[in-house]
Amino acid sequence: MKFNPEIVFDKSLDVRNHITEDMRKMAKQMPYTTILYVGTKLIPCGSISYLKISDTSFCPTISLDIPKVSLNSSIDNTREIIPGTVISFLASDGVGLIESVFTADSVRDDGIYLTISGNLRVPDMFRKCSCSLPGRSAEALACMAQQMGTGFCTNIELSDTNDAMIWVNGHNSTVDFCQYIAQHAYKDDKSFFDAFISIDHNLYFIECNRLFDKFAFKDDIINSFKINKIPPPQFD
């Protein structure tokens, strides 16, 4: 049983803009080691006392504690680290490479530790807007992903749902609108959907029931999420 979803698009703009080839080369040369940049400064792995990336919400979050004693050797002035600072994260298992870019939302200095928390960097994710999108749910979410600058992955064809309509966002945030579309998506009485942004900077739209199909093989499920590339948009 093969799943062959329509090809969509891949790789967020922020990964292209903030993760350099030098960073990738370093991560590949140091498998099983976290490579972390705060702004443009490399934070040595041994200087990080706590690091957690959570994907339990719609969009991944990051939390980290860095002792100021070790931080001062990497960053001349810790006051340079403010909300809005870009945090670039890379990790390699020797085969694949995880690349993520976060934005610091909270920076707390208690004199001993610098505690930073933030969200995956997705343009306009929390901005409220009013818009209407004609088409099916998958098509609407693909459009929202393109507007946010993320990639888009799905395990169905874009035309596979039976819910063509005008999807109206009445001045809600982009996140809320994406969740609304996923919650109201309809294919048939045996299908149910979920949507989330993953650490790989892709918006996933998942028809969950087929993942539990007893006739589905592991490789079919893995290969059911197809991605294609489009030229990245530009923003400041």
Side-chain angles (χ1 to χ4, degrees):
M1 183 174 181
K2 295 291 184 181
F3 304 140
N4 297 306
E6 188 167 329
I7 289 176
V8 275
F9 48 89
D10 135 282
K11 282 299 182 187
S12 112
L13 161 67
D14 280 299
V15 172
R16 297 178 189 273
N17 279 359
H18 295 287
I19 304 286
T20 66
E21 287 303 319
D22 287 341
M23 292 181 187
R24 292 189 181 96
K25 184 177 180 180
M26 181 185 299
K28 291 176 181 177
Q29 291 174 344
M30 302 170 64
Y32 308 105
T33 301
T34 296
I35 307 296
L36 190 74
Y37 282 79
V38 177
T40 59
K41 303 295 185 179
L42 173 65
I43 307 299
C45 184
S47 301
I48 305 169
S49 62
Y50 174 81
L51 171 63
K52 178 182 180 181
I53 294 178
S54 174
D55 60 357
T56 57
S57 58
F58 180 80
C59 187
T61 60
I62 190 171
S63 302
L64 66 148
D65 292 339
I66 308 172
K68 291 190 66 178
V69 172
S70 58
L71 185 63
N72 288 335
S73 64
S74 302
I75 296 179
D76 298 331
N77 188 348
T78 57
R79 286 178 294 181
E80 295 175 0
I81 304 175
I82 59 174
T85 298
V86 172
I87 304 167
S88 302
F89 170 88
L90 298 92
S92 172
D93 61 0
V95 180
L97 183 65
I98 298 173
E99 306 174 4
S100 299
V101 180
F102 296 83
T103 300
D105 295 328
S106 172
V107 180
R108 184 167 56 87
D109 184 350
D110 65 4
I112 300 175
Y113 290 96
L114 198 67
T115 300
I116 305 172
S117 61
N119 288 285
L120 196 74
R121 184 175 168 84
V122 178
D124 297 329
M125 182 170 62
F126 298 109
R127 182 175 64 88
K128 292 183 180 292
C129 64
S130 299
C131 64
S132 60
L133 300 173
R136 296 175 173 84
S137 52
E139 295 168 330
L141 284 171
C143 182
M144 292 304 298
Q146 197 163 19
Q147 290 182 17
M148 288 189 292
T150 69
F152 181 69
C153 295
T154 182
N155 61 344
I156 64 170
E157 303 286 346
L158 293 186
S159 59
D160 209 19
T161 57
N162 296 307
D163 53 10
M165 65 175 80
I166 297 178
W167 301 88
V168 179
N169 182 19
H171 202 62
N172 295 306
S173 68
T174 301
V175 168
D176 289 341
F177 188 40
C178 289
Q179 291 177 306
Y180 170 84
I181 295 172
Q183 290 167 0
H184 292 81
Y186 180 81
K187 180 178 182 289
D188 54 46
D189 291 345
K190 295 182 179 180
S191 301
F192 59 103
F193 295 87
D194 193 13
F196 56 89
I197 297 175
S198 184
I199 193 173
D200 61 1
H201 288 259
N202 287 305
L203 172 61
Y204 283 80
F205 180 50
I206 310 301
E207 198 286 282
C208 300
N209 190 53
R210 66 174 51 194
L211 301 182
F212 300 102
D213 193 310
K214 64 180 180 180
F215 298 109
F217 294 98
K218 180 181 178 181
D219 288 344
D220 294 332
I221 294 174
I222 293 174
N223 293 330
S224 70
F225 300 97
K226 301 298 183 183
I227 310 172
N228 190 26
K229 294 182 179 180
I230 59 169
Q234 298 298 319
F235 79 106
D236 295 327

